[in-house]
Amino acid sequence: MSNNAELVFKALVIGMFQFIRKEHYQEDLEAVFPQLKAELEKRIYSITIETSGRTLTIIPPRIEYFVVINHELIVVSNNQPTVLRSTVKKALNLFHYPYLVQIRRGTVVNLDYVTSVKGHILMIDKKSFTISRKYYADFKSAWKKYHI
């Protein structure tokens, strides 16, 4: 919020960093809050899955990574694994989170949790993952977009 409206221009919008000018308070609120709501809904949402008589709630932005072995989907979120039956393609469509990137045939990582990338090796919470040649270009492109 700024008291100096002459120093803040309407066109100055950088990601989720926006000014609410006191002189144009209502007008700016009407512009900013729908954008904020859309951004939060995109980033913080949950998916409820019913499987084998149990109900699981998964929050896609909190998924660190997941691995599929013989249609067993192991989702690691908050260092806690959850096992489901699925394929990588179905899981990516289900979770539909833009920062989930496939790095191997059965491995997907969340760019929010990647701490370092050196060549074909990336780290998530002291765990190393190898990026296969097939997925390396897509990963590098997603990594570059993530850091813009």
Side-chain angles (χ1 to χ4, degrees), residues 36-72:
L36 178 61
K37 181 181 180 203
E39 187 68 24
L40 288 174
E41 285 175 350
K42 184 171 75 177
R43 293 180 182 263
I44 303 171
Y45 60 97
S46 64
I47 295 173
T48 303
I49 302 168
E50 291 186 28
T51 179
S52 302
R54 60 185 178 147
T55 302
L56 300 169
T57 301
I58 296 175
I59 302 170
R62 294 195 182 145
I63 295 171
E64 295 171 30
Y65 61 91
F66 61 82
V67 179
V68 176
I69 303 168
N70 295 330
H71 296 283
E72 292 273 317

Side-chain angles (χ1 to χ4, degrees), residues 67-126:
V67 179
V68 176
I69 303 168
N70 295 330
H71 296 283
E72 292 273 317
L73 173 68
I74 304 165
V75 179
V76 178
S77 179
N78 298 326
N79 283 325
Q80 297 294 319
T82 303
V83 180
L84 305 165
R85 296 224 13 108
S86 185
T87 64
V88 170
K89 189 174 183 177
K90 286 180 185 176
L92 284 171
N93 288 335
L94 174 69
F95 298 137
H96 192 65
Y97 185 62
Y99 302 131
L100 289 174
V101 179
Q102 189 168 3
I103 61 166
R104 296 191 73 71
R105 187 172 181 205
T107 307
V108 174
V109 297
N110 185 342
L111 297 179
D112 290 332
Y113 291 92
V114 175
T115 53
S116 70
V117 177
K118 291 182 180 147
H120 285 262
I121 307 292
L122 65 85
M123 300 292 290
I124 295 179
D125 193 32
K126 298 181 183 177

Side-chain angles (χ1 to χ4, degrees), residues 134-148:
K134 179 179 178 180
Y135 298 101
Y136 187 73
D138 291 339
F139 173 80
K140 278 306 223 189
S141 173
W143 186 246
K144 208 177 269 190
K145 285 179 188 174
Y146 178 77
H147 284 289
I148 290 179

